[in-house]
Amino acid sequence: MSTGQLFSRTTQALFYNYKQSPVQRMLDFDFLCGREIPSVAGVINPGSEGFQKLFFGQEEIAVPVHGSIASACKHHPTADVFINFASFRSAFASTMDALKQPTIRVVAVIAEGVPEADAKKLIAYARANNKVVLGPATVGGIQAGAFKIGDTAGTLDNIIHCKLYRPGSVGFVSKSGGMSNEMYNVLARVTDGLYEGIAIGGDVYPGSTLSDHVLRFNNIPQIKMIVVLGELGGRDEYSLVEALQQRRVQKPVVAWVSGTCARLFKSEVQFGHAGAKSGGDMESAQAKNKALENAGAIVPTSFEGLEDIIKATYEKLVEKKVIVPVKDYTPPPVPEDLNSAIKSGKVRAPTHIVSTICDDRGEEPSYAGVAMSTIIEKEYGVGDVISLLWFKRSLPHYCTKFIEMCVMLCADHGPCVSGAHNTIVTARAGKDLVSSLVSGLLTIGPRFGGAIDDAARYFKDAYDRGLSPYDFVESMKKKGIRVPGIGHRIKSRDNRDKRVELLQRYARTHFPAVKYMEYAVTVETYTLSKANNLVMNVDGCIGSLFLDLLSSCAMFTQQEIDEIIDIGYLNGLFVLARSIGLIGHTFDQKRLKQPLYRHPWEDVLYAKYA
């Protein structure tokens, strides 16, 4: 392995299996370091294409998303680092795919628990092809002031506190990502800081070893001293011992192997990492520390003494002018995300949408303050849900029952009415459910099903002003307006609409008062004296009865009643109900596999104009 540094200020990476937080942290680190280009060139999400919106400082950027590793490498030939956030189950296949790409030089495998046989295959392929694998079970690595992998070094506050936004003079390598963060803090306190830090990973078979990176650090001129943090278990540290004995490392190496407390336990102890388990005296922390010290490494007597010995080693190098301490500076502030700023109370921002009928925050959604579990446990019906979502209150049972009756009675009126006809024609044209439904709904208006609001509006105005049926009808006639809710193409005095009779009977039995409906009946009596088909239709019946419902239940003010009618609540009831039938007609036509509809010539009047 050896050679020199892995990363630079122009290094770019491909990120596999998109995770927003680590990618954004990389970009925030870029901005903190003053990089000119983002360190994330592209994202790979198998089977997906497009882009992800992220921030590079104050600028919002679109990071390309590719569906395959090969495609990403082709589009970003200068991106030579592959950051693999795949699970341990799929990490092998994606890592091997990346290693086989000629443009990829370094692969970081974040997943813990990759099968050992798979890890060995990855290591063998990487070494045979002169590639570097960090991990498995790694947080990654960082070159201070230049590039970092994923969540390496933690939060921005920690990065600033550890002065990782600019390069220092120390190379650091460890198995543990968590302990790396602790050591970066130590290095910032007692030296001029980190130059490059690597966490090789805590699994039994890491893709690269401690000695691999120490030898590499030895070839980097900017690194003047090296700090190594090992752990009990395995024999990785002995390759470093061998390198020190062979004098292949000319720079001071401060080392400590954690896990000396293992001897206090009577039986073998498994520490946090898979590889942190002593398999014998040679693998104990004490044996490794002794071997490192004998080979020439600077080893403290305990972990508590590590900071002091690092400080002493650094100060000697400064005294010898081997190290010229890096001058510190204040990095630019990284803009805070709006959501976190709002949460912390630093800023306030206006909302874009107001909702008073439903709240989907918390453990379960609620309709007008009524929890979903309550709706189910108390066996609310569709009418109850409509009362909550439309009227923002729980109406009495007779009201919600009336609403349900309206929905059931208006759900369909056969295939010949305009809405159903449109839906049938659209469905037979091979269109989808939504298109077929919408084509039928678009016919609802003043001439078809949309007269409920107008019927309520005109009946209310006439009744409240005390107009007689004669004065009301004749005044409408003078204005050239047909009385909404009166008249039917099929029904007549002798063939009444059964739906109207059912609703009227229910209201007379259960409503406290039906003054508006009775007024509409007197209007009907007058209009029938003019023509046999000027009967009250279902629009007029629902419109007048809804007025009675709203006014007699004592739950609405007069202003609220007027607003309900003006907004179009009552037509909404017809739209909701008829959607059921239109969906049924769509399914019916598709189930019957009906062909494209063509209107017959004999049913068309081809008029010739002079």
Side-chain angles (χ1 to χ4, degrees), residues 87-302:
S87 71
F88 72 91
R89 297 178 185 86
S90 59
F92 171 74
S94 49
T95 300
M96 185 61 79
D97 191 358
L99 287 171
K100 290 180 179 179
Q101 303 299 321
T103 56
I104 297 299
R105 183 175 49 87
V106 179
V107 176
V109 185
I110 310 301
E112 183 177 355
V114 173
E116 293 178 4
D118 290 343
K120 289 179 180 179
K121 292 176 185 176
L122 293 174
I123 294 167
Y125 187 89
R127 290 191 180 279
N129 291 274
N130 197 29
K131 307 219 174 182
V132 178
V133 174
L134 305 179
T138 181
V139 73
I142 182 171
Q143 183 175 321
F147 176 85
K148 87 180 187 87
I149 292 172
D151 291 317
T152 301
T155 65
L156 275 178
D157 288 340
N158 188 65
I159 287 170
I160 293 171
H161 185 72
C162 296
K163 301 177 182 178
L164 297 173
Y165 51 84
R166 50 80 172 155
S169 303
V170 183
F172 174 80
V173 61
S174 170
K175 290 186 176 181
S176 168
M179 288 306 298
S180 294
N181 286 350
E182 295 296 327
M183 291 306 300
Y184 298 156
N185 195 356
V186 169
L187 295 177
R189 285 200 302 268
V190 300
T191 74
D192 63 353
L194 181 80
Y195 184 83
E196 184 184 316
I198 296 293
I200 64 172
D203 277 2
V204 177
Y205 295 101
S208 53
T209 65
L210 298 174
S211 59
D212 285 337
H213 295 285
V214 169
L215 292 170
R216 198 169 52 74
F217 291 163
N218 191 63
N219 296 334
I220 300 174
Q222 296 91 333
I223 292 178
K224 307 300 182 182
M225 63 178 285
I226 300 167
V227 176
V228 180
L229 186 63
E231 63 185 23
L232 84 166
R235 302 201 173 195
D236 188 14
E237 288 79 3
Y238 288 103
S239 63
L240 176 56
V241 169
E242 184 179 343
L244 290 169
Q245 289 172 338
Q246 295 173 354
R247 300 188 184 281
R248 296 169 62 194
V249 183
Q250 288 77 45
K251 298 175 182 180
V253 176
V254 177
W256 175 255
V257 178
S258 297
T260 53
C261 65
R263 285 190 175 178
L264 299 176
F265 298 93
K266 294 181 180 180
S267 59
E268 185 178 74
V269 178
Q270 172 72 61
F271 286 80
H273 295 147
K277 180 175 66 174
S278 179
D281 289 341
M282 286 285 289
E283 295 185 10
S284 69
Q286 286 85 349
K288 291 181 179 182
N289 281 323
K290 186 64 176 177
L292 285 165
E293 184 176 20
N294 291 339
I298 305 165
V299 181
T301 56
S302 67

Side-chain angles (χ1 to χ4, degrees), residues 353-426:
I353 294 177
V354 179
S355 176
T356 62
I357 64 171
C358 182
D359 191 340
D360 58 345
R361 300 168 298 177
E363 294 183 3
E364 59 177 328
S366 62
Y367 294 164
V370 180
M372 193 68 66
S373 56
T374 300
I375 291 172
I376 299 301
E377 289 165 3
K378 293 190 175 181
E379 298 183 348
Y380 280 31
V382 172
D384 297 295
V385 172
I386 292 173
S387 76
L388 292 173
L389 291 177
W390 291 18
F391 302 105
K392 299 195 295 184
R393 65 205 76 188
S394 291
L395 296 175
H397 178 69
Y398 74 86
C399 295
T400 59
K401 176 64 176 177
F402 175 76
I403 292 173
E404 290 179 0
M405 287 177 64
C406 292
V407 171
M408 290 188 288
L409 294 174
C410 295
D412 194 50
H413 203 200
C416 299
V417 295
S418 58
H421 180 79
N422 264 25
T423 290
I424 289 171
V425 171
T426 306

Side-chain angles (χ1 to χ4, degrees), residues 101 111 192 202 304-305 411 438 462 517-518 526 529-530 566 569 575:
Q101 303 299 321
D192 63 353
E304 287 74 15
V438 169
M517 186 202 74
E518 297 296 1
Y526 177 73
S529 67
K530 291 178 167 290
D566 289 339
Y569 275 52
V575 170

